Amino acid sequence: MIGRRRGAAVAAVAGAAALLAVSARRRFVVVTVQGASMEPTYRSDDRVLVRRGRAPARGEIVVVEQPVVGLGWPAPPVPRGGAPGGLARRDWYIKRVAGAPGDALPAEAGLTAPAPHGRVPDGGYVLLGDNPGKSVDSRQMGLFPRERVLGTVVRVLGR
């Protein structure tokens, strides 16, 4: 009897651990920084932990899907909270949120596209690299849609 209880407890703990691992994989992703657009904050080959699933705020650093200049995005958005399996087949930027929905359009972005009352519209973000001379961001691409934001950088994991 004790052996059965112990076996059931071990099975329950293993099942809970597996469920937690699947949940964590859907909520957190590790991304490697490529390029100099976020220097000095991040350098090429830095690895960062990204939390998926919540809307970022001004000042936070996000990973966002890279559009094709002049064409937009080649594939539908990655489903929020979905399995991260298809993430490796996409190209990603790492940028700082300079304007979130409802914020005034930041002057440094130089956006000329119309926005209601000079504010970032719902579902849009102004994203800028910390190294303007090396960054392709909202200065060239305009607003980035929320559905293309993978998540918010939580911490650096190293190189």
Side-chain angles (χ1 to χ4, degrees):
M1 186 80 152
I2 292 176
R4 284 187 193 164
R5 279 192 221 158
R6 198 172 278 158
V10 168
V13 169
L19 185 60
L20 187 62
V22 168
S23 176
R25 286 192 50 168
R26 289 176 187 242
R27 182 170 232 128
F28 294 97
V29 179
V30 176
V31 175
T32 302
V33 176
Q34 298 295 316
S37 72
M38 285 301 291
E39 289 180 351
T41 307
Y42 300 112
R43 297 181 307 180
S44 199
D45 295 328
D46 282 350
R47 293 174 358 128
V48 295
L49 182 64
V50 177
R51 181 176 183 212
R52 298 174 68 190
R54 71 171 182 79
R58 187 170 13 119
E60 291 185 311
I61 297 173
V62 297
V63 172
V64 61
E65 189 172 359
Q66 178 182 333
V68 176
V69 178
L71 298 176
W73 286 270
V78 173
R80 243 188 246 166
L87 300 179
R89 292 187 294 273
R90 303 198 183 214
D91 293 320
W92 302 96
Y93 282 150
I94 182 168
K95 304 292 175 200
R96 187 176 301 278
V97 177
D103 290 344
L105 284 173
E108 68 269 24
L111 295 175
T112 57
H117 310 291
R119 302 223 168 260
V120 179
D122 285 343
Y125 286 89
V126 177
L127 303 178
L128 302 177
D130 286 358
N131 186 355
K134 301 279 184 177
S135 182
V136 175
D137 50 36
S138 286
R139 289 173 275 240
Q140 297 83 22
M141 306 298 293
L143 297 171
F144 284 81
R146 165 69 179 112
E147 67 220 12
R148 298 298 175 162
V149 174
L150 177 64
T152 305
V153 174
V154 176
R155 64 178 296 199
V156 177
L157 297 175
R159 289 189 157 201

